[in-house]
Amino acid sequence: MEQLRHKHRGNDGGLDINKVLQNTLGVGAALLLFSLILVTCVDVIGRYFFSAPLSGAFEITELLLAALVFAALPLTTERREHIEVDLLNVMINDTSKRYLSAFAGLFSAALLATLAWRLASHAMSAAEDGATTNALGISLAPFGYLAAFSCLVSAFIAFMRGIYPPSHLTEDGPNANEQDDHV
């Protein structure tokens, strides 16, 4: 993904995938987090000071939290901020690290694409059935579609990382040198 991130830097009008993700999903995730804070504050203040909690706060919190997790998934994938266990990195050379990174990217892409497919299928079923939350009657299908889209975007990013793994990975980890693979 470093190639996509750095490929068109400058005045050539190219697409900077990091900026696109940050300006869309990053802003969306920030708004979702702010909404979670607002719902929690209103619920707590209403509950303890006015003996009138926010109706449906639990459902709203569940839905906002799910949306926040899936909105942040492509950002986390693009920034390589997923948890990684590097047990073999000290024992293998840089070429092997690169192949291992490529395999991890392609394997992650396959898993995320499968998850996107299953989430989209579940969202379509929820839409056909008219599935809603119990207390507030909020439709669940849009959240399923958001989750599926997020997984699909993350799968694309992981796939690109598998095709174009960083040219060198150091013992400090994959983020040690942010200038990997300029094209």
Side-chain angles (χ1 to χ4, degrees), residues 2-159:
E2 285 76 40
Q3 286 182 344
L4 286 178
R5 183 186 311 168
H6 298 291
K7 184 174 183 179
H8 297 291
R9 291 256 168 152
N11 297 327
D12 61 359
L15 177 66
D16 183 357
I17 191 74
N18 187 15
K19 284 184 181 179
V20 171
L21 289 174
Q22 187 61 39
N23 289 337
T24 56
L25 295 176
V27 170
L31 291 173
L32 288 166
L33 184 59
F34 177 75
S35 299
L36 268 169
I37 293 168
L38 187 64
V39 166
T40 302
C41 289
V42 168
D43 185 46
V44 168
I45 290 170
R47 181 179 313 274
Y48 292 108
F49 293 111
F50 302 110
S51 296
L54 180 63
S55 180
F58 181 73
E59 283 184 354
I60 295 169
T61 300
E62 282 182 324
L63 295 173
L64 288 174
L65 189 57
L68 176 63
V69 167
F70 282 105
L73 182 62
L75 292 167
T76 305
T77 304
E78 196 276 332
R79 293 176 183 167
R80 296 184 59 101
E81 292 179 343
H82 291 294
I83 295 173
E84 295 179 1
V85 180
D86 297 329
L87 299 176
L88 301 176
N89 274 0
V90 294
M91 298 183 289
I92 60 177
N93 61 27
D94 286 345
T95 303
S96 297
K97 288 178 189 178
R98 188 161 191 231
Y99 285 123
L100 192 59
S101 179
F103 172 76
L106 294 173
F107 187 74
S108 296
L111 289 176
L112 286 163
T114 302
L115 188 57
W117 165 57
R118 294 305 306 148
L119 284 167
S121 174
H122 185 70
M124 285 187 265
S125 295
E128 289 173 4
D129 298 341
T132 61
T133 59
N134 290 331
L136 298 177
I138 300 170
S139 177
L140 296 175
F143 296 94
Y145 290 128
L146 170 68
F149 176 74
S150 175
C151 285
L152 191 61
V153 171
S154 296
F156 172 74
I157 293 169
F159 178 74

